[in-house]
Amino acid sequence: MSQESPDWVTRGLPHIWQPYTQMKTAAKPLAAARAKGSRIVLADGRELIDGIASWWTACHGYNHPHIREAVVAQLDLMPHVMFGGLVHEPALTLARRLAALLPDPLERVFFSDSGSVAIEVAMKMAVQFWLNRGEAGRTRFISFKGGYHGDTFAAMAVCDPEEGMHSLFKGVMPEQIIAELPVDDARAAALEAVLARHAHEAAAILVEPLAQGAGGMLFHDTAVLRALRGAADRHGLLLIFDEIFTGFGRTGALFACEEAGVTPDILTLSKALTGGTMGLAATIASTRVFEGFLSDDPRRALMHGPTFMANPLACAAANASLDLFEREPRLKQVARIAAALEAGLEPCRDLPRVRDVRVKGAIGVVELERIADLNDLKRRFVEAGVFVRPFGNVVYLTPAFTIGEADLASLTGAIVRVLKEMARAG
Ligand SMILES: *Cc1c(COP(=O)(O)O)cnc(C)c1O
């Protein structure tokens, strides 16, 4: 594509460092020019059907006019103002709406600008909650294999040990307690033993409820979350739900905590919060956690404050995204997508080296024994006219909820065809 590459690509590429990418061997990245609905238009004119919704953020499709109008209107008034000592309408409206949507005790919203930071804030909140009660030494966290909570050091430390590259960065990160989810009696007993040993030095249990995303696209059922709530209460720990992947309908309910009927003490949101338009995240605390910081001592205040927290443009986008959840049948669309993913990916079950095919809400996963050449697989998808980004040993779809039936069929069809081709190639 070099010959048709626009000037900004050839001159800019030598100065860009891409995420999780071996820059020596990486395939040339695709140059995106525009995006609309479920389509990404490349600089060379090709149009790809998007299966990922930009790491599952663009739940209403790209460039939704309602969100764009809200951002433009806010741009006229005030693109940004600091949140220390000042508040503004988009942030206060968003906080009120989020609190109304979430289970009752989750009432206090702390804004930041990315998911990893929302997790850092949740972890700091949990540790300082205990410190404020005079319980020093509760500095560790219990989290789970297969989990993903972000790329900053504290967040990495609570990821799956392999996914979070714990051995590579040994010595830099705090060592946390990574357990297995209590999905059966044996693992429930193992978790109980871990808690008996470590609860006194731990601040909280941290989990992605119902669906673990970037750590492997793994699902568990609501009983696991009820068990974790019970365990946290028995051992006097806070429970943190990281709903950065699951929040805003991805698993079928607006929030996983709602589907499970389990209320955490702290909950994190980001990813689809602004409908995939801007960086914004929220850490939402229960009244009990919030009240743990009320004191005449200024040092007991929550010690965090990102420069661009509660950016008005991002909050306006998030409010517009919530409007769309109210006005349009998003959860019905998710149910329809789930059915189409089930049917469309079903033929993968019969392919060699396919270990599992699973669907939850608008998440479709084909797990392989292994993927020998990820770059080759990605290239084949682009040739098939779709944007799909397999990682590890999984090929997954997390499309926009507004995706059309034909586009969704093209996505699942491309996955079946490309995996068949790969199987034939050996
Ligand atoms: C993406 C993600 C994060 C990290 O968010 P960033 O905005 O990339 O820092 C944390 N937790 C979960 C569940 C995520 O999916």
Side-chain angles (χ1 to χ4, degrees):
M1 128 178 182
S2 60
Q3 231 154 13
E4 313 140 48
S5 281
D7 195 47
W8 57 265
V9 173
T10 42
R11 295 180 63 200
L13 265 189
H15 303 285
I16 280 296
W17 200 334
Q18 293 208 276
Y20 286 108
T21 303
Q22 176 43 261
M23 297 299 287
K24 182 173 176 182
T25 53
K28 197 168 180 183
L30 302 166
R34 287 179 289 123
K36 192 158 174 49
S38 282
R39 302 294 182 102
I40 299 170
V41 182
L42 303 182
D44 62 13
R46 279 179 295 168
E47 192 168 311
L48 301 179
I49 301 173
D50 175 36
I52 306 300
S54 285
W55 284 317
W56 50 93
T57 60
C59 55
H60 315 288
Y62 294 113
N63 214 350
H64 195 289
H66 181 64
I67 299 181
R68 198 176 54 224
E69 280 159 24
V71 172
V72 168
Q74 183 58 41
L75 192 56
D76 276 343
L77 294 176
M78 179 171 68
H80 187 66
V81 67
M82 66 187 280
F83 211 60
L86 297 168
V87 294
H88 47 78
E89 186 277 326
L92 265 54
T93 299
L94 179 58
R96 174 179 57 73
R97 293 175 82 179
L98 291 174
L101 288 172
L102 289 164
D104 254 349
L106 294 168
E107 283 291 320
R108 287 284 172 166
V109 181
F110 187 97
F111 288 113
S112 56
D113 26 37
S114 77
S116 300
V117 175
I119 291 292
E120 298 267 344
V121 171
M123 293 173 76
K124 191 184 276 187
M125 231 177 227
V127 168
Q128 212 187 336
F129 172 79
W130 295 113
L131 276 177
N132 284 352
R133 291 164 60 117
E135 296 195 43
R138 282 178 171 268
T139 54
R140 302 185 75 190
F141 290 83
I142 293 143
S143 62
F144 299 95
K145 289 194 177 141
Y148 175 78
H149 301 287
D151 287 353
T152 55
F153 280 121
M156 281 169 79
V158 286
C159 288
D160 181 272
E162 236 170 87
E163 178 68 32
M165 295 157 289
H166 289 189
S167 56
L168 179 61
F169 290 104
K170 202 173 167 58
V172 190
M173 286 189 288
E175 271 186 41
Q176 301 299 6
I177 302 141
I178 317 290
E180 289 203 59
L181 281 170
V183 293
D184 54 31
D185 289 347
R187 277 170 255 213
L191 178 62
E192 199 50 39
V194 165
L195 288 167
R197 203 159 55 243
H198 293 290
H200 70 282
E201 54 171 347
I205 297 173
L206 167 61
V207 69
E208 287 170 273
L210 297 185
Q212 294 174 304
M217 298 286 163
L218 302 161
F219 309 145
H220 55 263
D221 56 39
T222 56
V224 168
L225 301 175
R226 285 195 293 277
L228 292 182
R229 181 71 269 182
D233 291 344
R234 261 196 322 282
H235 292 276
L237 296 168
L238 296 178
L239 180 63
I240 304 172
F241 278 3
D242 177 355
E243 293 227 30
I244 293 172
F245 178 43
T246 56
F248 304 105
R250 186 53 64 182
T251 64
L254 197 53
F255 298 103
C257 62
E258 181 190 323
E259 182 175 337
V262 176
T263 303
D265 302 288
I266 301 172
L267 183 143
T268 56
L269 295 171
S270 187
K271 289 284 191 336
L273 176 57
T274 63
T277 56
M278 262 178 281
L280 182 68
T283 304
I284 300 124
S286 69
T287 307
R288 170 174 169 247
V289 167
F290 176 74
E291 286 179 351
F293 288 74
L294 301 181
S295 164
D296 294 325
D297 182 351
R299 286 166 311 176
R300 292 197 182 176
L302 178 62
M303 293 300 175
H304 211 94
T307 303
F308 280 99
M309 74 181 287
N311 172 258
L313 295 174
C315 290
N319 279 314
S321 175
L322 291 184
D323 294 342
L324 294 174
F325 276 99
E326 284 171 10
R327 289 178 198 168
E328 296 182 15
R330 289 290 176 264
L331 298 184
K332 281 200 190 110
Q333 290 167 325
V334 171
R336 200 171 42 80
I337 291 169
L341 289 172
E342 293 269 8
L345 295 175
E346 182 61 26
C348 293
R349 278 187 205 283
D350 301 327
L351 297 178
R353 287 186 290 260
V354 168
R355 205 192 265 167
D356 189 28
V357 176
R358 53 182 176 268
V359 171
K360 181 158 186 60
I363 312 164
V365 183
V366 181
E367 182 180 324
L368 299 146
E369 275 156 27
R370 66 188 191 93
I371 297 174
D373 188 342
L374 268 176
N375 279 341
D376 178 55
L377 188 53
K378 287 174 190 167
R379 187 183 49 74
R380 285 171 193 260
F381 282 129
V382 172
E383 280 169 8
V386 299
F387 189 67
V388 177
R389 297 276 297 174
F391 68 90
N393 62 338
V394 303
V395 178
Y396 73 97
L397 292 174
T398 50
F401 302 156
T402 50
I403 190 168
E405 247 168 82
D407 277 1
L408 190 52
S410 298
L411 284 168
T412 55
I415 288 180
V416 174
R417 213 165 51 247
V418 166
L419 291 184
K420 232 179 232 168
E421 252 171 58
M422 294 271 290
R424 258 203 306 272

